C-alpha cells in the first residue's frame, strides 16, 4: 500500500470535514455530505457572511467567517480532517506555496507549454495554470465517478487522470499529484495527513522546480513552482 493510500485509509470514513467555500458548490457539498455523513463534524469556511448564514440556517452546520486560504494556511491541519475545496482556487497548490515559504524561498511559475500536449483536452489560463479533462462535455452535477464506466457516455473509462498527470515529463521539473477522492456525488476532497505526506515526501525534501496537480478520476488542474532553501 502506498503512503497516499495509507493516509486515505487512516482518515476514512471521514469524521471531521472542512468545507472551504459556501457559494453554489460549497452549499452543494455541505448539503450532500451532511446527508451522507450525518455523524461527521463539519465546519464551513467562507468570507461572505450571507453565504454562511444560508448554510447555517438551512443545513444547521457550524460556520466560520474567514478567507478560505488564510484559514487553511494559518493553522495546523489535523491528519484526520478532510479538506473539501469549493472555491475557484487551486487550494492544494496555494497551501503548498505557503508551507514551502516557511522553510525557503518559493515562487509560482507558469506551467511549461511542453505539458499541454501530454494531457487530455488541455485548457490554459493567462496565469499559466493548466486544466485537463477527459470530458469534452459538461459532466452531470451528481456524477458518482464510477470505477469502470463513464456516467455520461456509458463507455469504458479511459483511465484515472491523477495517474495520467503523474506521468507528465517536462525537463527540469518533478511532478507531485494530489488525488481528490469522491465523498459524495460531485463532491471530492483529501485528508490533511495526505496533504502533509505529499509535501514532506515529494517536495520539501528536495528544492527545485515542480508541477503540482490536483485531480480526481476525470478532471485536474496543474500549476508550477520553484523553491530553494
Amino acid at each position: 500500500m502506498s503512503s497516499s493510500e495509507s493516509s486515505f485509509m487512516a482518515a476514512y470514513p471521514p469524521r471531521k470535514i472542512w468545507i472551504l467555500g459556501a457559494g453554489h458548490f460549497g452549499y452543494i457539498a455541505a448539503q450532500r455530505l451532511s446527508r451522507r455523513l450525518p455523524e461527521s463534524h463539519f465546519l464551513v469556511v467562507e468570507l461572505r457572511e450571507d453565504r454562511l448564514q444560508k448554510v447555517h440556517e438551512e443545513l444547521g452546520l457550524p460556520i466560520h467567517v474567514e478567507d478560505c486560504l488564510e484559514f487553511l494556511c494559518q493553522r495546523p491541519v489535523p491528519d484526520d480532517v478532510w479538506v473539501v475545496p469549493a472555491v475557484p482556487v487551486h487550494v492544494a497548490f496555494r497551501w503548498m506555496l505557503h508551507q514551502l515559504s516557511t522553510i525557503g524561498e518559493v515562487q509560482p511559475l507558469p506551467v511549461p507549454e511542453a505539458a499541454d500536449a501530454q494531457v487530455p483536452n488541455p485548457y490554459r489560463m493567462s496565469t499559466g495554470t493548466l486544466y485537463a479533462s477527459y470530458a469534452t462535455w459538461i459532466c452531470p452535477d451528481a456524477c458518482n465517478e464510477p470505477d469502470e464506466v463513464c456516467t455520461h457516455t456509458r463507455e469504458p473509462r479511459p483511465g484515472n487522470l491523477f495517474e495520467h498527470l503523474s506521468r507528465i515529463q517536462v525537463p527540469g521539473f518533478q511532478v507531485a499529484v494530489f488525488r481528490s477522492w469522491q465523498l459524495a456525488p460531485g463532491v471530492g476532497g483529501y485528508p490533511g495527513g495526505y496533504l502533509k505526506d505529499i509535501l514532506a515526501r515529494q517536495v520539501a525534501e528536495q528544492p527545485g522546480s515542480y508541477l503540482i496537480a490536483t485531480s480526481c478520476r476525470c478532471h485536474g488542474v496543474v500549476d508550477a513552482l520553484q523553491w530553494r532553501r
Side-chain angles (χ1 to χ4, degrees), residues 86-132:
V87 287
V89 177
H90 190 175
V91 170
F93 175 71
R94 297 287 292 274
W95 175 84
M96 183 168 284
L97 282 176
H98 174 79
Q99 297 304 313
L100 291 173
S101 72
T102 67
I103 61 174
E105 298 179 11
V106 60
Q107 62 177 339
L109 302 173
V111 175
E113 292 186 2
D116 294 39
Q118 301 180 54
V119 303
N121 301 306
Y123 184 82
R124 178 172 287 272
M125 305 294 289
S126 60
T127 58
T129 297
L130 179 65
Y131 288 89

Side-chain angles (χ1 to χ4, degrees), residues 19 21 29 68 88 144 162 205 207-208:
I19 299 175
C68 294
N144 62 354
F162 52 85
E205 288 187 349

Side-chain angles (χ1 to χ4, degrees), residues 30-57:
Q31 183 182 56
R32 292 178 181 171
L33 290 176
S34 60
R35 289 175 178 174
R36 172 167 286 200
L37 302 165
E39 301 302 317
S40 295
H41 298 280
F42 288 87
L43 184 63
V44 183
V45 182
E46 165 69 55
L47 192 58
R48 285 182 51 175
E49 295 188 39
D50 57 321
R51 292 177 173 177
L52 285 176
Q53 197 63 31
K54 178 181 178 182
V55 169
H56 184 65
E57 291 178 356

Side-chain angles (χ1 to χ4, degrees), residues 62 67 102 129 148 155 161 173 210:
D67 176 84
T102 67
T129 297
E148 303 296 336
E155 295 179 355
L161 187 59
F173 283 78
Y210 289 83

Side-chain angles (χ1 to χ4, degrees), residues 134 145-147 157 159-162 179 215-219:
Y134 282 135
E145 198 185 59
D147 291 347
R157 176 183 295 283
N160 292 316
L161 187 59
F162 52 85
R179 176 180 175 179
S215 177
C216 64
R217 293 185 187 276
C218 302
H219 316 285

Side-chain angles (χ1 to χ4, degrees), residues 3-214:
S3 59
S4 61
E5 290 172 331
S6 297
S7 299
F8 166 77
M9 293 301 296
Y12 194 86
R15 290 292 178 261
K16 302 174 184 176
I17 300 173
W18 291 349
I19 299 175
L20 304 184
H24 175 73
F25 293 107
Y27 183 88
I28 288 175
Q31 183 182 56
R32 292 178 181 171
L33 290 176
S34 60
R35 289 175 178 174
R36 172 167 286 200
L37 302 165
E39 301 302 317
S40 295
H41 298 280
F42 288 87
L43 184 63
V44 183
V45 182
E46 165 69 55
L47 192 58
R48 285 182 51 175
E49 295 188 39
D50 57 321
R51 292 177 173 177
L52 285 176
Q53 197 63 31
K54 178 181 178 182
V55 169
H56 184 65
E57 291 178 356
E58 296 184 8
L59 304 178
L61 298 181
I63 57 177
H64 178 76
V65 181
E66 189 175 353
D67 176 84
C68 294
L69 289 173
E70 290 185 5
F71 172 84
L72 188 67
C73 293
Q74 299 300 326
R75 56 181 38 76
V77 182
D79 289 354
D80 61 344
V81 164
W82 277 77
V83 178
V84 176
V87 287
V89 177
H90 190 175
V91 170
F93 175 71
R94 297 287 292 274
W95 175 84
M96 183 168 284
L97 282 176
H98 174 79
Q99 297 304 313
L100 291 173
S101 72
T102 67
I103 61 174
E105 298 179 11
V106 60
Q107 62 177 339
L109 302 173
V111 175
E113 292 186 2
D116 294 39
Q118 301 180 54
V119 303
N121 301 306
Y123 184 82
R124 178 172 287 272
M125 305 294 289
S126 60
T127 58
T129 297
L130 179 65
Y131 288 89
S133 177
Y134 282 135
T136 56
W137 53 84
I138 297 176
C139 291
D141 176 64
C143 175
N144 62 354
E145 198 185 59
D147 291 347
E148 303 296 336
V149 178
C150 172
T151 305
H152 177 77
T153 66
R154 305 297 180 184
E155 295 179 355
R157 176 183 295 283
N160 292 316
L161 187 59
F162 52 85
E163 294 173 345
H164 186 122
L165 296 180
S166 71
R167 296 190 290 268
I168 295 175
Q169 295 184 8
V170 176
F173 283 78
Q174 299 183 64
V175 182
V177 180
F178 292 96
R179 176 180 175 179
S180 176
W181 279 276
Q182 190 173 79
L183 299 178
V187 180
Y190 33 70
Y194 174 65
L195 271 178
K196 293 184 284 185
D197 183 70
I198 297 291
L199 172 67
R201 292 177 180 269
Q202 296 189 36
V203 183
E205 288 187 349
Q206 183 176 350
S209 300
Y210 289 83
L211 301 180
I212 307 297
T214 300

